[in-house]
Amino acid sequence: MSPYLLGLRLSGRRVLVVGGGRVAQRRVPALLEAGALVTIVSTSVTHALDDLIATGRVTWEARPYQVGDVDGAWLVQACTDDRAVNTAIAAEAEAKRIWCVRADDKEASAAWTPASGRVDEINVAVTAGGDPRRAAGIRDAVVEALRDGTVDARRNRTKPVGVALVGGGPGDPGLITVRGRQLLAQADVVVADRLAPQALLDELSPDVELIDAAKIPYGRYLAQERINELLVEHAKQGKFVVRLKGGDPFVFGRGGEEMLACAREGIPVIIVPGITSPVAVPAAANVPVTHRGVSQEFHVISVHVPPGDARSTVDWPNLARSAGTLVLMMAVERIGAIAETLTQEGRSPETPVMVVQDGTLPTQRVLHATLSTVAERVTTAGIRPPAIVIVGDVVKVGQEVEMVRAERVP
């Protein structure tokens, strides 16, 4: 017959675990997370259980099981590798009307331990007829669907309120964080940047209001002040608003301005950091921004205004003298002025440069050059934004990786 599923609230209640092997090692942490007072009876325990005992989280009686051990327990786990001992434990528990789980025999067990998982306040437990492998597989699928919003999160009666500033990552929709995807699935309104992962927008429920907050270079432009107003207006209407950005909200994303605008109006804000493009895009092109013996520092620079512009706060002479990696954002349109400034201020004209367009996307393009050739090569190749420019000897590391791979191809 099918089991009657029940969620036991074990906080402050004694649970007996007989056996100190790998099965007990898997089950004890979940019992502790539920607040149970766990006693282990076993002649020996694994290293992981020994650590829990040493920190006082578990009581250990280093001896074999004996009659009377189950007294005072609300739940018993029979986890020894001796069938006769497990049978005796189960029989005593049954006689005293205490629920007992046998790890060695699902048919003889009065209760089953489900494969369990948790996503926020949702607990998932699967028994699958007592088959632990099948139950774990189903549990994993359900937990993953809850995490990425595949299971309809918008039915949640305790949906978040206010505004969430969500970093969508460098472009590949698979690189958004689990938390970001959860909140996106719960949104009533999504205010999306041009560089936010567009594939995620196609997954939104039809009743979600989508606001295009694109800022196209030298083209259509939604002022930041208006974006701030939209966040506040919709949140005050009781809607949950997700501000979906490319990269990270606080790395040249103007997330700080949006957070302040909401704070001034008393609107709660959830911050979800994102994988930032200055690190992720070079990595997608096999270039580490730091590398032992090559570069122990890297600088991320926004070049929305060129070197020499009165509005620029960038210390170009200091960057030119640095041996660190330079990662340049919004630099394609001004690459000639940048290269000229860096060489004039001391960087070698032969410094390696890599330009990555559409990083992490299927349309990714990579161009290699030096400071002396990069401007001409970018123009000739027709490189366009969004693109990231990497300046420094770490570019050679990526080239070396490609050479090694090529040599290993049969």
Side-chain angles (χ1 to χ4, degrees):
M1 298 179 66
S2 298
Y4 181 80
L5 299 182
L6 190 68
L8 296 180
R9 303 181 68 183
L10 295 174
S11 181
R13 292 180 167 89
R14 181 174 181 264
V15 174
L16 174 69
V17 177
V18 185
R22 287 182 296 176
V23 174
Q25 180 179 310
R26 290 198 303 269
R27 296 188 178 179
V28 168
L31 293 169
L32 292 175
E33 187 175 346
L37 304 178
V38 177
T39 298
I40 297 177
V41 173
S42 180
T43 55
S44 62
V45 295
T46 66
H47 291 306
L49 289 174
D50 193 33
D51 184 59
L52 294 174
I53 294 164
T55 56
R57 299 186 64 194
V58 172
T59 300
W60 178 30
E61 299 185 15
R63 58 171 175 78
Y65 160 78
Q66 59 189 32
V67 175
D69 281 341
V70 305
D71 291 347
W74 292 73
L75 176 67
V76 175
Q77 297 268 355
C79 303
T80 78
D81 56 6
D82 187 322
R83 184 177 179 82
V85 172
N86 288 341
T87 300
I89 297 167
E92 183 187 0
E94 183 77 13
K96 295 176 178 178
R97 296 187 177 183
I98 300 170
W99 289 106
C100 178
V101 179
R102 286 189 61 165
D104 62 335
D105 189 339
K106 69 175 185 178
E107 299 301 333
S109 184
W112 294 335
T113 296
S116 60
R118 182 171 182 172
V119 180
D120 295 330
E121 74 284 359
I122 301 173
N123 291 291
V124 175
V126 182
T127 58
D131 182 338
R133 291 179 181 269
R134 186 182 180 201
I138 296 170
R139 179 270 320 275
D140 291 344
V142 174
V143 167
E144 183 179 355
L146 285 168
R147 283 177 175 164
D148 65 18
T150 303
V151 172
D152 190 5
R154 303 193 70 232
R155 296 178 183 174
N156 186 355
R157 290 182 295 179
T158 58
K159 188 170 58 177
V161 296
V163 172
L165 303 181
V166 175
D172 180 344
L175 294 178
I176 189 173
T177 63
V178 170
R179 181 62 170 155
R181 193 150 193 167
Q182 287 175 345
L183 294 177
L184 190 62
Q186 294 176 292
D188 299 308
V189 179
V190 175
V191 182
D193 274 356
R194 177 177 66 96
L195 298 181
Q198 298 302 302
L200 296 177
L201 303 179
D202 292 337
E203 300 175 3
L204 296 175
S205 177
D207 61 337
V208 175
E209 182 178 353
L210 178 59
I211 299 175
D212 182 2
K215 296 178 181 178
I216 301 174
Y218 312 108
R220 184 162 52 86
Y221 184 91
L222 185 61
Q224 184 62 50
E225 293 73 18
R226 181 54 184 156
I227 294 174
N228 296 348
E229 291 171 359
L230 288 168
L231 299 179
V232 170
E233 289 172 8
H234 286 286
K236 283 188 171 181
Q237 293 170 11
K239 299 175 182 177
F240 177 51
V241 185
V242 169
R243 175 73 170 106
L244 183 63
K245 299 170 172 288
D248 181 275
F250 290 170
V251 181
F252 304 126
R254 305 187 73 170
E257 298 171 51
E258 294 165 352
M259 179 175 60
L260 283 169
C262 292
R264 292 186 182 110
E265 299 293 332
I267 295 169
V269 177
I270 301 169
I271 308 298
V272 182
I275 298 175
T276 187
S277 301
V279 175
V281 169
N286 300 318
V287 172
V289 292
T290 63
H291 190 71
R292 185 176 178 86
V294 177
S295 175
Q296 62 184 41
E297 60 180 306
F298 70 97
H299 308 264
V300 181
I301 304 106
S302 169
V303 199
H304 62 281
V305 293
D309 190 292
R311 296 166 294 173
S312 176
T313 61
V314 178
D315 187 349
W316 289 103
N318 188 49
L319 290 175
R321 291 190 295 269
S322 168
T325 305
L326 307 183
V327 184
L328 310 176
M329 315 281 288
M330 296 173 276
V332 169
E333 300 291 337
R334 289 163 281 278
I335 191 62
I338 296 166
E340 182 179 357
T341 298
L342 289 174
T343 53
Q344 286 178 349
E345 297 292 345
R347 280 258 180 165
S348 168
E350 299 308 309
T351 301
V353 179
M354 185 173 72
V355 183
V356 185
Q357 175 185 308
D358 293 341
T360 76
L361 296 173
T363 53
Q364 176 175 302
R365 296 175 63 194
V366 176
L367 179 147
H368 287 92
T370 63
L371 280 177
S372 63
T373 63
V374 65
E376 180 182 353
R377 296 210 61 194
V378 163
T379 300
T380 302
I383 298 293
R384 54 168 180 75
I388 286 180
V389 179
I390 303 99
V391 179
D393 288 337
V394 291
V395 172
K396 294 180 181 178
V397 178
Q399 292 174 313
E400 182 180 355
V401 169
E402 293 298 328
M403 291 174 59
V404 171
R405 287 177 175 170
E407 291 172 357
R408 294 181 63 86
V409 174

